[in-house]
């Protein structure tokens, strides 16, 4: 798993993404807090990331980058709204991670086939596997 600084970087990136539409809804905050708990980051440290960014980290493995992309897809959909700015930013983040453009686009398309647009992890992994072979 990631180092503590990588965990803070993951959360910082997610918070920045949540701010893409200029507001953080309660559902987004709650989702982010849940991720912080999973990453074993205390609430005080988590809340401080809203005011100062953690050092940007590069996720080393493709699996870590896909997991972070998945978290961002879930975050985008937690408020039941997908704004164009969020979709564009998510697409650019995925490309910045070095993920295949076609796989990113497929994930953004198939998410509409699932309740609450929650793409099951196995489906997401299979999409990325298909583009790595």
């Amino acid at each position: 798993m990631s180092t503590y600084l990588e965990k803070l970087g993951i959360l910082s990136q997610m918070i920045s993404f949540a701010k893409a539409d200029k507001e953080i809804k309660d559902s987004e905050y709650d989702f982010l807090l849940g991720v912080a708990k999973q990453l074993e980051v205390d609430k005080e440290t988590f809340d401080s990331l809203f005011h100062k960014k953690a050092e940007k980290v590069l996720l080393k493995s493709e699996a870590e980058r896909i997991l972070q992309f998945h978290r961002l897809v879930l975050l985008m959909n937690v408020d039941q709204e997908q704004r164009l700015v969020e979709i564009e930013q998510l697409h650019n983040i995925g490309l910045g991670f070095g993920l295949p453009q076609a796989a990113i686009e497929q994930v953004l398309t198939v998410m509409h086939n699932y309740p609450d647009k929650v793409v099951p992890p196995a489906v997401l992994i299979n999409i990325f596997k298909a583009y790595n072979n």
Side-chain angles (χ1 to χ4, degrees), residues 13-132:
Q13 179 182 47
M14 294 181 75
I15 290 166
S16 177
F17 179 71
K19 292 178 177 178
D21 59 359
K22 308 293 185 228
E23 67 174 310
I24 296 185
K25 295 184 176 122
D26 289 343
S27 58
E28 292 170 320
Y29 178 86
D30 292 344
F31 179 83
L32 289 165
L33 183 58
V35 172
K37 287 179 182 176
Q38 277 186 327
L39 295 175
E40 299 177 340
V41 173
D42 65 88
K43 187 175 184 313
E44 183 178 332
T45 303
F46 166 71
D47 285 336
S48 75
L49 295 174
F50 284 87
H51 307 291
K52 72 169 187 138
K53 287 188 177 185
E55 185 176 322
K56 186 175 181 179
V57 294
L58 299 174
L59 299 172
K60 293 170 190 75
S61 75
E62 183 178 42
E64 289 174 316
R65 294 189 304 271
I66 291 170
L67 174 59
Q68 180 67 353
F69 181 77
H70 191 226
R71 286 184 191 117
L72 293 169
V73 171
L74 296 172
L75 175 59
M76 177 178 69
N77 291 313
V78 75
D79 64 356
Q80 303 298 315
E81 296 178 27
Q82 300 81 41
R83 299 191 198 300
L84 183 57
V85 67
E86 292 173 315
I87 294 169
E88 289 173 351
Q89 189 174 359
L90 183 59
H91 190 267
N92 290 334
I93 290 170
L95 292 175
F97 284 169
L99 301 176
Q101 181 172 340
I104 294 166
E105 292 170 4
Q106 187 174 350
V107 169
L108 294 174
T109 299
V110 302
M111 70 182 187
H112 298 284
N113 298 336
Y114 296 95
D116 298 325
K117 297 179 179 59
V118 175
V119 179
V123 172
L124 185 97
I125 290 167
N126 286 334
I127 289 171
F128 283 100
K129 274 185 183 177
Y131 288 95
N132 285 333

